[in-house]
Amino acid sequence: TANDVARYATIRHMTAHGGLVRLELGGQDGRNPDAVLEAEIPRQRLEALDLSPGRRVALRPRALRLFAGDQAA
């Protein structure tokens, strides 16, 4: 199914917020290299996965929210 297909991105930046870490991700499968995705994961999960900036990761969103960017030219 479509939910079983992972997308890939590279971690650009990480910011800790208490028990959560916000990841800024880019370079999704070569599509729109300027696009940015944000994800939050528990700090313990981040440590268990040994994630760091520059690492390529698989994405399987559970709750997806889209926000329109500034479309002014």
Side-chain angles (χ1 to χ4, degrees), residues 2-65:
N3 291 335
D4 294 332
V5 176
R7 301 282 186 218
Y8 297 90
T10 301
I11 299 173
R12 292 182 178 174
H13 185 71
M14 301 186 319
T15 306
H17 297 279
L20 289 177
V21 178
R22 178 169 289 162
L23 305 175
E24 181 181 296
L25 307 159
Q28 302 85 13
D29 294 337
R31 300 176 190 154
N32 193 357
D34 296 327
V36 175
L37 293 176
E38 291 183 353
E40 289 183 342
I41 63 172
R43 186 186 298 258
Q44 289 178 334
R45 183 82 172 131
L46 174 94
E47 292 167 359
L49 294 172
D50 193 28
L51 299 178
S52 60
R55 179 127 182 225
R56 191 161 168 83
V57 294
L59 307 174
R60 289 196 181 122
R62 285 187 255 160
L64 184 62
R65 290 185 282 173

Side-chain angles (χ1 to χ4, degrees), residues 67-73:
F67 300 92
D70 184 7
Q71 300 297 320

